[in-house]
Amino acid sequence: MEQKEFFYRFSKAMYHIDAIYDNLAKKTKVSINMLWILYALDDGKAHSQKDICYDWSLPKSTVNTLVLNLKKNEYITLVQIKGTKRDLAIELTEKEKNMLKI
């Protein structure tokens, strides 16, 4: 397969995957950015807001707003990261973990 054909197929597959996530966001009435954050947090590892911004190419202001909303609705907790003064790890609560299993 030549390079042009590979990238055409790859781009088409990425577009279809994005469309699936967009449809899921619409059905669950969750913003696509919120869905990406929940997806990022569902890997069982600790993440800071800085990590999510970097890994998922989301603006700091967007991530901060979504994290505050998730915390307000008790879907996440914020835990001090050892060895840092200001960095907080974002962790899913049991409420959210159960919702993501559905």
Side-chain angles (χ1 to χ4, degrees):
M1 176 185 322
E2 65 182 76
Q3 188 175 7
K4 183 177 179 180
E5 178 68 18
F6 169 80
F7 283 108
Y8 175 81
R9 288 182 181 188
F10 180 74
S11 298
K12 190 174 177 182
M14 282 182 16
Y15 178 79
H16 286 288
I17 292 168
D18 282 346
I20 290 167
Y21 279 105
D22 284 338
N23 288 334
L24 178 60
K26 288 175 187 171
K27 285 181 182 178
T28 59
K29 297 182 181 174
V30 171
S31 74
I32 191 69
N33 287 334
M34 180 74 77
L35 190 63
W36 285 121
I37 287 179
L38 293 172
Y39 186 75
L41 294 173
D42 195 36
D43 67 355
K45 299 176 185 174
H47 299 276
S48 68
Q49 288 189 34
K50 187 189 315 183
D51 294 335
I52 293 172
C53 292
Y54 179 79
D55 292 344
W56 296 89
S57 299
L58 294 169
K60 288 180 186 180
S61 59
T62 299
V63 172
N64 187 54
T65 299
L66 294 170
V67 165
L68 290 174
N69 189 0
L70 287 168
K71 186 173 186 309
K72 177 182 165 187
N73 290 305
E74 300 177 348
Y75 290 119
I76 62 166
T77 57
L78 301 175
V79 180
Q80 185 74 38
I81 297 174
K82 288 183 180 181
T84 67
K85 291 184 180 182
R86 296 181 4 183
D87 290 338
L88 301 172
I90 305 164
E91 296 179 357
L92 293 171
T93 61
E94 289 304 314
K95 175 182 177 180
E96 183 61 20
K97 287 178 186 176
N98 290 332
M99 186 181 90
L100 290 173
K101 289 179 184 178
I102 297 172

